[in-house]
Amino acid sequence: MQMIVRNPSNGIYEATPDYVHAMEVVGMQRLLFFSGTMGLDPDGRVPGSLEEQLEWLWSNIRCILAEAGMTVDNLVRVTSYLTDTAFAEANQAARLKALGARRIPTTAIVVGTLEPGWLVELEAIAAG
């Protein structure tokens, strides 16, 4: 499988260093679609802080990926749902930490969640 970053240099605004405009995936055999994944601990409890929820969220993402024989290197798209615009920077930092040097298409949207304690939710697509 080959992943090709598509960041046109003409006719469109420049992508910032934390994401890419698009990712072309060639020769993949499988797609893994995530439901909205929360930053809950293994007992389903909601940690009180945004930082703890982001840590658990990415831990949960890695767990789901491992079940499919994948890693964060297989992620090709991430959408974050935040309950407050003030969470954007911490969410970005957690994503960059989780992905290392890799950059993928990403979107962050401010929404209301189904439970008041849920501060962030993430859905993703992985290819393998």
Side-chain angles (χ1 to χ4, degrees):
M1 176 181 79
Q2 182 182 14
M3 294 185 198
I4 305 166
V5 170
R6 297 297 182 187
N7 275 335
S9 58
N10 294 310
I12 189 170
Y13 56 91
E14 187 175 346
T16 59
D18 66 315
Y19 80 101
V20 299
H21 281 300
M23 178 78 68
E24 181 179 356
V25 181
V26 180
M28 60 99 196
Q29 296 180 15
R30 303 180 302 143
L31 289 175
L32 178 65
F33 293 87
F34 287 72
S35 291
T37 303
M38 307 303 303
L40 308 178
D41 73 15
D43 293 323
R45 290 186 294 248
V46 182
S49 75
L50 175 64
E51 290 73 21
E52 289 174 298
Q53 287 189 32
L54 287 166
E55 286 178 30
W56 277 114
L57 187 148
W58 282 100
S59 175
N60 294 337
I61 293 292
R62 286 189 294 274
C63 182
I64 295 165
L65 286 163
E67 176 72 17
M70 296 180 176
T71 70
V72 294
D73 290 337
N74 294 95
L75 290 173
V76 295
R77 176 85 177 117
V78 168
T79 302
S80 300
Y81 300 94
L82 311 172
T83 59
D84 192 313
T85 57
F87 299 161
E89 190 174 321
N91 179 64
Q92 176 191 40
R95 184 184 74 249
L96 294 175
K97 179 181 175 185
L99 296 179
R102 287 193 67 239
R103 299 297 176 258
I104 61 175
T106 183
T107 301
I109 302 168
V110 178
V111 299
T113 54
L114 296 176
E115 295 290 331
W118 296 352
L119 304 178
V120 59
E121 185 171 349
L122 187 142
E123 65 180 21
I125 300 171

